[in-house]
């Protein structure tokens, strides 16, 4: 029988599963796999990042944007340990990632060798599969099993490879099992659907709350919303599923959120909660509301709110069937008030699009420029912090564009590597990244990676010399601000030094020329915009309701956040 290099056999398994690129930095303990990747470079492209964390975040972003397994590697010791942040991002946002770890030669293991690390315990918590390869012959099999597990459990599969195994010759007889992969969804339980109908019929103020489980199913969402006259709220990670200008769509709720969505969630007497596990639901949804929960994972039932009816089903199929079974609910004052509320919200936001007081900019003019040049299928990769709030509020997405961020783990530094993943996975689509000065500084060196691979990515960096999201928290909880101030830097010039086209925008008149140039650029662009150090409107702590706050409190709040004459949902309902 013919033989094959064990490392090459492993790479062929990865290719069979559809992996076409892998991120990492070479190290001595990973040289056998690097040799195999060199031999198979026409099959799988190696992407050299400048920090393993950037590689693991990029792999997670690949999985979020494509639904396919992302791939990354790290050499023994520090190369492996650097991966942990991105792997937790993948684990907590429930996407499949394969992480290959280098290890010293099998003959050197357990001898306290240079950079030897017992890697299995370190990765036990972050992984759904965690194995050290024990023989060269088992290498392709273990990686095959790892990828299956990553898909099966929507998580991280870790494989540790002693460096000598990848060089060995083994029999060429391993058949990857990628061809056997199947997916199935729970069958609709009509009895559970029937239990939901009376709650919908009795509701006076219902809302439809959606998550990523409804990605690609706007038609089903729209039909349900209009049949039952329900306004729509989404979890942050579901941004973009519903076009932002759809009249029944209120945006997201909680802190990274909109005013209309929070007000509707607090007033709702019924929540139809579909395809999401939003961890803050209990803090902003009316605790007395009836709750219909629809999910393909029964372990999520009742986790965020008491579930009056739990339906194990595909979200889109369940919504479609409920429309068929249930009588239509006529549009009423509840729906009309919410439609008016979101219309007022958009008018308020856009009143700042051309705001110029001769000082540093507000974020709205920046996003007006992004929306102006964004293509119909653009991809928006968003870092963590106030930039997440700004992006969720001000990106006017059309339903064809894509949005990704670090959700449940919420790690800073996601923007730049996520942009690399987006452009590699979708080379023909326009890609934007959005970062604050905190997150951008963490992975700025991987602008070099964007330059090296000639990736035309538009990186927008909003800087205000502070960790703004944490500053806002300290303002309401701490004795004083401490540790949140950031030293100023010129990220436009710094990015130019890394090989990108850089702009540093300090005034309104510089904004449009920078974005015009970015739209035409053939390589990576970094546009740093110095913005005001002002908290975004705290929609989770509004002081606008005259039944709860004094006239003085409302005036002080309105003056600070420029929200004069913005009616609340209760005021719209009482008209």
């Amino acid at each position: 029988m013919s033989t094959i290099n064990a490392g090459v056999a492993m790479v062929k398994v990865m290719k069979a599963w559809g992996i076409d690129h892998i991120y990492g930095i070479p190290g001595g303990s990973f040289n056998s796999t690097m040799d195999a990747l060199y031999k198979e470079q026409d099959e799988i492209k190696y992407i050299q990042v400048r920090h393993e964390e950037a590689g693991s975040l990029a792999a997670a972003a690949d999985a979020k944007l494509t639904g396919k397994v992302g791939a990354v590697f790290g050499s023994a010791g520090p190369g492996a340990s650097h991966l942990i942040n991105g792997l937790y991002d993948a684990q907590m946002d429930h996407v499949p990632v394969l992480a290959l770890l280098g290890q010293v030669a099998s003959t050197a293991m357990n001898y306290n060798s240079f950079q030897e690390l017992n890697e299995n315990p370190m990765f036990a918590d972050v992984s759904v599969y965690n194995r050290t390869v024990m023989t060269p012959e088992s290498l392709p099999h273990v990686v095959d099993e790892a990828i299956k597990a990553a898909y099966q459990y929507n998580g991280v599969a870790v494989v540790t490879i002693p460096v000598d195994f990848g060089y060995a010759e083994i029999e060429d007889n391993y058949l990857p099992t990628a061809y056997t992969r199947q997916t199935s969804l729970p069958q609709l339980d009509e009895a559970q659907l029937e239990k939901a109908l009376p709650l919908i019929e009795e509701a006076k103020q219902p809302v439809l709350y959606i998550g990523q489980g409804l990605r690609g199913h706007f038609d089903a969402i729209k039909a349900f919303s209009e049949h039952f006259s329900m306004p729509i709220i989404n979890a942050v990670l579901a941004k973009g599923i519903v076009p932002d200008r759809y009249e029944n769509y209120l945006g997201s709720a909680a802190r990274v959120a909109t005013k209309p969505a929070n007000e509707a969630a607090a007033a709702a007497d019924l929540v139809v909660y579909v395809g999401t596990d939003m961890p803050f639901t209990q803090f902003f949804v009316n605790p007395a509301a009836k709750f219909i929960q629809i999910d393909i994972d029964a372990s999520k039932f009742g986790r965020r709110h008491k579930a009056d009816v739990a339906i194990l089903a595909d979200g889109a199929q369940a919504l479609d069937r409920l429309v068929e079974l249930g009588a239509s609910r006529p549009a009423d004052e509840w729906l009309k008030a919410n439609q008016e509320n979101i219309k007022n919200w958009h008018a308020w936001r856009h009143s700042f699009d051309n705001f110029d007081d001769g000082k540093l900019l507000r974020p709205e003019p920046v996003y007006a420029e992004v929306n102006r040049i964004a293509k119909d299928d653009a991809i928006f990769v968003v870092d963590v912090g106030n930039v997440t709030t700004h992006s969720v509020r001000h990106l006017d997405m059309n339903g064809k564009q894509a949005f990704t961020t670090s959700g449940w783990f919420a790690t800073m530094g996601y923007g730049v590597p996520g942009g690399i993943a987006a452009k590699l996975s979708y080379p023909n689509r326009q890609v934007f990244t959005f970062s604050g000065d905190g997150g951008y500084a963490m992975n700025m060196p991987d602008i070099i990676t964007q330059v090296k691979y000639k990736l035309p990515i538009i990186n927008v960096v909003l800087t205000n010399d502070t960790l703004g999201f944490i500053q806002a928290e300290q303002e309401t909880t701490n004795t004083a601000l401490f540790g949140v101030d950031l030293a100023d830097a010129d990220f436009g010039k710094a990015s130019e030094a890394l090989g990108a086209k850089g702009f540093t925008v300090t005034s309104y008149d510089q904004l449009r020329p920078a974005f015009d140039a970015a739209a035409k650029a053939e390589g990576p662009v970094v546009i740093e915009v110095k913005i005001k150090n002002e908290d975004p409107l705290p929609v989770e702590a509004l002081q606008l309701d005259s039944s709860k706050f004094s006239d003085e409190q409302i005036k002080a709040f309105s003056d600070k956040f420029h929200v004069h004459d913005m009616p609340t949902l209760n005021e719209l309902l009482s008209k």
Side-chain angles (χ1 to χ4, degrees), residues 367-380 395-403 423 426-432 434 456 458 515-516 518-522:
Y367 285 90
E369 289 299 313
V370 172
N371 293 325
R372 178 178 67 86
I373 69 168
K375 296 184 178 179
D376 284 348
D377 63 349
I379 300 173
F380 304 113
L395 285 173
D396 283 330
M397 297 181 65
N398 60 14
K400 300 175 185 176
Q401 296 159 328
F403 175 97
K423 198 63 183 177
Y426 298 100
N428 296 320
R429 293 174 69 173
Q430 186 186 40
V431 174
F432 292 84
F434 300 86
I458 301 172
F515 277 92
D516 283 343
K520 299 172 185 175
E522 296 181 355

Side-chain angles (χ1 to χ4, degrees), residues 27 292 402 534 537:
I292 299 169
E534 295 179 347
L537 175 67

